[in-house]
Amino acid sequence: MPELAQVVVDVPTMQTNQPYTYQIPATLEKQIQLGVRVVVPFGKGSRTVQGFVVGLDQATDYDGKLKPIQAVMDLQPVINRELLTLSKWLADTTYSFWISCLYTMLPNLLKAKTSRIVRIIDEVSEDVFFDIFHGKDELDLSTVQDQPAIISQLLKLKRAGKVAIDYRIEDRARAKTVTGIRSRLTFEQLEDERLGLHSNAHAQNKLLSYLQTIGEKVVKLKEAERLTGLKAATFNQGQKKGWLEKVPVEVYRTPLGQTPSPDDQHLAKPLTLNDDQAAAVQAIDRAIDQQESPTFLLQGVTGSGKTEVYLQAIAAALAQGRTALMLVPEISLTPQIVNRVRSRFGSKMAVLHSSLSNGERFDEWRRIERGEAQVVVGARSAVFAPLKKIGIIILDEEHEASYKQDESPRYHAREVAKWRGKYHHAPVILGSATPSLESRARAVKKVYQLLSLPHRVNEQPLPPIQVVDMREQVKKYGESNFSRELLQAVDQRLQRREQSILMLNRRGFSSFMMCRDCGAVLKCPNCDISLTLHMDTRTMKCHYCGHEEPIPQVCPNCHSRQIRYYGTGTEKVEQELQQLLPQARIIRMDVDTTRRKGMHEKLLRQFGQHQADILLGTQMIAKGLDFPNVTLVGVLNADTGLGLPDFRSSERTFDLLSQVSGRAGRANKQGQVIIQTYNPDHYAIKDAQAHDYDRFFKQEMGLRHQAGYPPYYFTVRLMASHPEEAQAAKAMAKIHDRLKRGLMPSTIILGPTPRAIARMKRRYYYQIVIKYKKDPHLHELLFDILQDTQSKGYKDVQVSIDPDPQYFM
Ligand code: ADP
Ligand code: ZN
Ligand code: ZN
């Protein structure tokens, strides 16, 4: 039996970012295991905190002064050995606290802080019983936390031995149960009971027979009623007579039900693969077979059958007795993709995403943890699903920025997937029609293995894309969100009773200046990144190098006065569209209309049933939707993304336009795409129009090389914040100094500069971006800086470090 435990405590500071040793009291010996949560005393006084057991030891030179663990919160580990090891790696590579990484891996219900229950164990006065305990035996301490008078009275009672304080064990408390029944008698005893029955007691006779058939099993009451056709009253009689007892049966809150719907029957069978698909599946199968962990880049245009490749590769892993993890971006976690996976794998599948309730999420998590679900489909955080014996990991739409978490711990699901792939000796599949530059560059260098699906399965050509020059439109017809071409096309769909999807690109909303006459975007002379408007200082600023200039009154390129900051809201656009086409039925989909649970699905279902002619929405409508009656896709403003102060803005624009074009003409009707832009000559738009990823890749790689951005350089962003701007700036200057002295001369330090949104939540933010190829000192130096910033010299300064940031705003 181990006598000592290493515990990572829930005190997120650099100084406490290490395991502490505690003594295991004899009473808890059997319950303490690696990966359980415990309550331990910490620091001065009687303060206790929650923590995770991350190590167990024999006491060798134990001097008896160690504090004991106070309570165990879990009956069994909530973090297994693999995830424990992963959490350490995660903390190290993302510059985060170990404790935050451990919590990140758990479903919300298990993240809750300890709840402490006060229980009456001896007689108390009526006043106490009724006024404090409200006539019950227990009280949740957190409900009276802010009432010092009550707290002090409770403490007195505790000293007097009248009440005890327990820690609630989460797992027991949170599981949902229904009533089950179990026979209390043996077969023979039940037979004896039958002899004592009236000859006309048919129902009871039937119940006895049923109890004889179930033996010692527990059956849900509802199910027993259904199977026997008996009423609840009969079971109650049986209970009164002592034939059966009622017991709680744990059930899962399954978010989607587990049986595929009959409508999806046709999805159940694997399809016969075409040659490209077969070659891809074969390569993946071989890796699964030989327990190797290469990373494959599966590149194929929309409709080329990537999903079918995933499904068959998953089947191959399952056939080997292994499990499968499939990640998709949150916005493409539509019922459509989930149905496809479920039709193939039924109750073997679990789903994890953000619109599940905490209870549902917890139950899905437990099904996975217990090995009852072997296929997990989920968004980013599902990469931590507690699957065992993983045989394959898939990231669909691998280029999506949402795979990177933008708060601590700032992990990228792709990197975590690769780590888990290595751990389990399983291949990782990165799938996309428009791979990230980083991934494609690795495939070129043979670090990843490229698998391509160059053709659409149905041999349908990709829809023709028409680019409309909005500069002309504005000149001819005045300002509007809709060009003549687009309006006409939508109108035509209305006549033909076909549907349209219109997308409003909301990225970079009103933060940059663009000329409505020539399309020029105001850029930094040093960085070739667009300048961001700061209303507080009335200037345009570069967030990379700090360059600053006044807000222009005329376009520096063509001297037009039509220079504006850019951006429109969906609601305004909807109004305009309704005015222009009064007969059209419009569904608007944006963060406002989909905030409520289930609304996303509901709106899509309505559109699918043709209860509307037009689906108008933000980027969230770009992915994964598959509506056969949609023959027109329009992008209202392709430019907004281009104006962002971010070196990835062209890439994101290209991705988005390629994605959204794939929505048109999925079935056998020919589709049409119209893109409105003020920059019709921009390469991202032209290449998307030509459906030419390779040409875009070459051009963009050239620019990245020139400017020194990924994939040629790695980047890290440091941020410092303080309620006073001068303090944030001062701290950043100090950090800048240390970096300058500590890093290689070849490493480039940009900044410090104020962030795009310089003031958030009453704090001012400054940032530094580091670009490097190889810098052996960087990792350690950054940790040193984190350590230091928690010391006195940096009072109230918060510093965070973001490796490989996806956004620079
Ligand atoms: P992607 O994921 O690349 O967009 P999908 O896997 O969704 O492509 O395939 C597009 C369509 O083609 C789907 O309706 C799918 O059922 C169908 N499909 C895929 N592979 C085949 C195949 N081998 N034979 C027939 N139909 C297929
Ligand atoms: Zn201009
Ligand atoms: Zn600049």
Side-chain angles (χ1 to χ4, degrees), residues 285 288-291 315-322 389:
D285 281 2
I288 297 173
D289 247 17
Q290 308 192 337
Q291 312 229 343
L318 295 184
Q320 302 258 343
R322 298 167 79 184
K389 288 177 68 182

Side-chain angles (χ1 to χ4, degrees), residues 91 365 383 635 664:
W365 185 85
V383 76
V635 180

Side-chain angles (χ1 to χ4, degrees), residues 54-84:
V54 299
L56 295 170
D57 277 327
Q58 291 304 325
T60 40
D61 49 0
Y62 165 49
D63 64 0
K65 279 199 193 110
L66 293 170
K67 291 178 184 168
I69 290 178
Q70 246 176 40
V72 185
M73 294 186 57
D74 301 302
L75 299 173
Q76 50 197 346
V78 291
I79 297 266
N80 66 30
R81 271 164 202 268
E82 182 214 348
L83 295 178
L84 206 55

Side-chain angles (χ1 to χ4, degrees), residues 116-176:
R116 292 207 278 172
I117 304 297
V118 189
R119 211 158 34 86
I120 298 175
I121 52 174
D122 197 356
E123 206 169 316
V124 294
S125 73
E126 286 207 345
D127 288 355
V128 168
F129 187 59
F130 288 105
D131 296 347
I132 300 180
F133 284 83
H134 308 291
K136 298 202 184 83
D137 288 340
E138 288 187 352
L139 173 72
D140 184 341
L141 198 57
S142 66
T143 59
V144 293
Q145 209 79 68
D146 53 350
Q147 300 176 54
I150 292 185
I151 295 284
S152 86
Q153 215 174 339
L154 287 173
L155 288 177
K156 244 187 249 153
L157 288 166
K158 182 164 183 269
R159 276 196 297 274
K162 303 269 185 191
V163 302
I165 299 182
D166 295 337
Y167 294 93
R168 171 179 285 158
I169 293 174
E170 298 289 341
D171 193 38
R172 245 189 228 154
R174 306 289 187 170
K176 184 179 166 184

